[in-house]
Amino acid sequence: MNQTFLTPGSMRNRHVGLKVEGSNFTLGGFPFLIIAGTIHYFRVPQKYWKDRLMKLKACGFNTVTTHVPWNLHEPRRSQFYFTGNLDLRAFISLASLEGLWVILCPGPYIGSDLDLGGLPSWLLQDPKMKLRTTYKGFTKAVNQYFDELISRIAPLQYGNEGPIIAVQVENEYGSYHLDKKYLSYVKKALVKRGIEVMLMTADDGQELIRGHLNKVLSTLHMKNIRKETYEKLSSVQISHLLMKDVQEMVDLRFSLNFYMFHGGTNFGFMGGAASLDNYLPMVTSYEVPKPRQPDSRPKAIYKSVITLYFISLWDVVPYLDQPISSARPICMERLSVNQGSGQSYGYILYETVISTGGILTSRDHVQDRGQGYKNHLTLRILVENQGRLAYGQDINKERKEGHDLYMVFDSLRGIPNVWKPVLFQPQGPAFFLGFLRIGNNPRDTFIKLKGWTKGVVFINGQNLGRYWNIGPQETLYLPGPWLQPGSNKVDSATAPPRSQATSRGLCLPRRQNASLMASPPSS
């Protein structure tokens, strides 16, 4: 099928957008096969957007799918961010310049293995909150967010000479399905604000019918697929049986999407968690695992970064604001910080005075990890939020808590300049400081924290993400654009290392992600 003339730059007549004709798509009245790949702009440094989109185009794709994380765009109530790495309009416009159409997934819930599935944690301040329902507290927040978001993307739709050809309504709602009216509400909220392109839902094989909306295209995530799945799909729209592989899909002219084409990185604290037999926080990398293979490409090895200075957590506490006092522990989301929006990520230090001995138990109230420290009659528990659940009905319970709350930490802002030389191995949690010195052409690199236990690494103020010596991830990706010629400040908030405090980076070209096939939207 010749589709070279069906690109954003070549199509002038925009009267007819993406349509379903029988069992195929048409665009502008011409047969159109969607070959899409997912790239999350927020998981890729902005300076690499063009490179990743060019790779997508070079692999024969004609469409990029991307999701919009509400929690990153509105981290505090009524404070919106659409600049820098969150400049969604710039990403969509760049895709158009590279000859790619766009399928946009604005949520409000997007899943994507993000903290709370991309929902902002301040929603949980409401003790009666029912996420992903028509509960008034939730829809009020969604309406305000959509007012800001949709006004930015509506002008980039197909009919306005833009590249957006379709918009997804929510994400896999069939597996959640707490409110039969909810999907209709989201659809109406999108249309009311000017979304005119094709709408679609997306569900896996088991929950296809519960996630279906009348007069909205149902797309199928390729998991839990059985013959009965296609029987269900045929009950709501024309479909064909598919049980084999991508080649069969292409032969039958199925449109499809690869999730993910390029996974990127869970920078900072954006990664969520899964709950199978037990709680499983997401690793920092969002790449697809690949077998180890010999790599013959030339590499340059940076010298190890020696941690020269440290500050004990206990030395930082006196420089902080007055602690929040409470007779009972308070969950992270309800702290009176961040202009009343609570704390989304990071660590909290709970402190109380004890007068007698006994057995300390959290009664499962510590989510997700707590470390206890006793100093005379003072008991301190440092609680770490390792990521809220990304999916499932238990997301409504994901309030992070551990009697005084003595420390709030979700970035390195406000750390006092009272560094001490590392003359011995510090005891207890601490902040460590070192410097990476490089030449005039910074390149992508990886930080390997050999001998370190658990913590977070910052480079020039940018949070690279979490590390943990239990694996499976052994290195943290450090993008070249976040480095500067000369001296680069490397901070780590961590439990003490087990051995000499060093880290090492391997300088080599970023390896392109192997594609993982999933979620083919079929007509």
Side-chain angles (χ1 to χ4, degrees), residues 54-87:
M54 289 177 64
K55 286 181 168 67
L56 184 71
K57 182 72 174 178
C59 288
F61 292 76
N62 58 24
T63 305
V64 61
T65 300
T66 197
H67 297 72
V68 185
W70 181 5
N71 58 346
L72 300 184
H73 286 289
E74 192 184 1
R76 299 177 184 178
R77 201 179 270 105
S78 301
Q79 294 187 22
F80 299 94
Y81 297 89
F82 289 93
T83 59
N85 231 68
L86 296 174
D87 193 339

Side-chain angles (χ1 to χ4, degrees), residues 108-123:
Y109 168 88
I110 62 171
S112 303
D113 296 313
L114 291 172
D115 186 277
L116 210 62
L119 299 175
S121 63
W122 46 260
L123 290 169

Side-chain angles (χ1 to χ4, degrees), residues 72-205:
L72 300 184
H73 286 289
E74 192 184 1
R76 299 177 184 178
R77 201 179 270 105
S78 301
Q79 294 187 22
F80 299 94
Y81 297 89
F82 289 93
T83 59
N85 231 68
L86 296 174
D87 193 339
L88 176 59
R89 284 178 58 90
F91 180 80
I92 294 172
S93 299
L94 186 58
S96 180
L97 291 174
E98 296 303 323
L100 294 165
W101 299 105
V102 175
I103 296 175
L104 196 65
C105 308
Y109 168 88
I110 62 171
S112 303
D113 296 313
L114 291 172
D115 186 277
L116 210 62
L119 299 175
S121 63
W122 46 260
L123 290 169
L124 297 175
Q125 289 183 323
D126 181 349
K128 298 180 180 179
M129 176 56 66
K130 296 178 182 178
L131 302 173
R132 305 177 72 189
T133 70
T134 53
Y135 173 72
K136 289 184 177 180
F138 184 70
T139 57
K140 180 180 179 181
V142 172
N143 289 336
Q144 184 175 0
Y145 169 58
F146 271 10
D147 285 344
E148 292 287 334
L149 173 63
I150 306 304
S151 64
R152 287 174 164 83
I153 63 175
L156 299 174
Q157 294 179 94
Y158 177 88
N160 298 323
E161 306 296 321
I164 299 175
I165 57 173
V167 169
Q168 182 176 300
V169 180
E170 246 268 348
N171 187 67
E172 294 191 336
Y173 194 71
S175 62
Y176 192 77
H177 200 66
L178 287 183
D179 188 337
K180 294 181 180 179
K181 300 178 180 179
Y182 174 67
L183 281 184
S184 295
Y185 154 73
V186 177
K187 175 187 174 183
K188 183 178 179 180
L190 293 169
V191 173
K192 177 182 177 182
R193 289 167 175 79
I195 296 300
E196 299 174 344
V197 296
M198 176 182 286
L199 298 178
M200 55 179 62
T201 58
D203 289 279
D204 70 18

